[in-house]
Amino acid sequence: MTETPLPQTGAAFLRLLSWVSPAFPTGGYAYSHGLEWAVESGDVTDVATLCDWIGCLLEHGAPGSDLIILQEAWSAAHDMPRLRALAEFACACASSRERYDETVYQGEAFLKAASVWPVTPDPSELRGTRWPLPVAQGLVFRRGGITREQALLSGGYTTIAALVSAAVRLVPLPLGQTDGLHALARLEPRLSRAMNVTEHRTLDDVGGACFRSDLAAMHHETQTTRLFRT
């Protein structure tokens, strides 16, 4: 039987499902973005405080800046010199060693895994530069036929889902799988709002004021008991 090829939009959507799946091998399950320390210190104790923590990150922290960087990478997806400069900028924005490791290791794993599809540059074009996650996502999403809005929502959702998953696994948080779903549902409007705000932002708007989250990343480096790498 002859297979009927999917329309381009259908093929792009199927790729996107793979790229945002928790099973996509970026190693995201190993990172908590400082959430592990926030739980230990008592800042995050339930669904409400978890949503407040993640919502503030989206609006004022690194994940919000990452959306801007992802958008710039999406626009520059076929311009390797511009992408290299953007990758270097994104690396320089990391506020701690843990933040740097988190974004670079996941970004480069994302590019490696996405190379299964014919959407990534030749490996020789990637050498000599470290590739943070939002730059890798923007590049792959645009070359894979994903719209700007879908790219921003997907990048933001990946971050939110990873943090909620980390919270469900953290002790002593009394959170189960259903609580995690409640958190995801509550955060949908904030992600949508963050996407709309990002549309009007440029690299000049990259920055943040989530000092508690930055301190969490720094304190996590010397935390006595750790389940996550960050």
Side-chain angles (χ1 to χ4, degrees):
M1 186 175 73
T2 303
E3 293 185 0
T4 303
L6 282 169
Q8 182 58 32
T9 53
F13 179 67
L14 281 179
R15 294 184 191 124
L16 184 60
L17 290 178
S18 295
W19 295 335
V20 300
S21 167
F24 200 64
T26 62
Y29 63 87
Y31 302 95
S32 81
H33 199 75
L35 184 62
E36 185 166 21
W37 184 84
V39 170
E40 184 173 288
S41 65
D43 290 353
V44 176
T45 58
D46 53 22
V47 171
T49 51
L50 174 64
C51 289
D52 285 342
W53 182 272
I54 297 175
C56 285
L57 288 176
L58 268 178
E59 293 166 12
H60 307 292
S65 291
D66 282 351
L67 288 181
I68 299 173
I69 293 169
L70 191 159
Q71 177 172 255
E72 291 290 326
W74 185 90
S75 298
H78 298 282
D79 185 342
M80 286 306 296
R82 186 176 162 195
L83 283 170
R84 285 184 183 277
L86 182 61
E88 292 172 2
F89 173 81
C91 286
C93 290
S95 58
S96 66
R97 179 69 192 192
E98 284 204 351
R99 289 277 193 266
Y100 176 84
D101 289 346
E102 183 179 72
T103 189
V104 165
Y105 289 150
Q106 289 189 84
E108 292 174 352
F110 185 89
L111 283 174
K112 182 178 180 181
S115 66
V116 170
W117 292 267
V119 296
T120 57
D122 185 270
S124 63
E125 295 184 79
L126 299 173
R127 293 192 191 106
T129 300
R130 303 307 304 268
W131 295 97
L133 182 59
V135 179
Q137 288 174 324
L139 184 167
V140 169
F141 289 161
R142 177 65 182 276
R143 294 190 180 198
I146 307 304
T147 67
R148 186 195 65 84
E149 291 81 3
Q150 290 173 332
L152 289 174
L153 286 174
S154 298
Y157 175 80
T158 300
T159 298
I160 288 174
L163 289 174
V164 169
S165 174
V168 169
R169 287 176 283 155
L170 279 169
V171 177
L173 279 186
L175 296 182
Q177 295 292 337
T178 301
D179 295 308
L181 294 176
H182 278 298
L184 287 174
R186 286 194 196 183
L187 288 164
E188 285 177 2
R190 299 185 81 160
L191 175 56
S192 180
R193 186 162 58 248
M195 182 205 71
N196 291 330
V197 169
T198 300
E199 181 181 1
H200 306 288
R201 289 182 170 174
T202 69
L203 292 181
D204 290 337
D205 298 301
V206 168
C210 283
F211 302 116
R212 188 69 170 172
S213 174
D214 291 336
L215 288 172
M218 296 173 191
H219 285 303
H220 187 268
E221 294 178 4
T222 56
Q223 195 168 329
T224 303
T225 303
R226 300 194 306 177
L227 177 63
F228 296 92
R229 296 184 65 179
T230 66

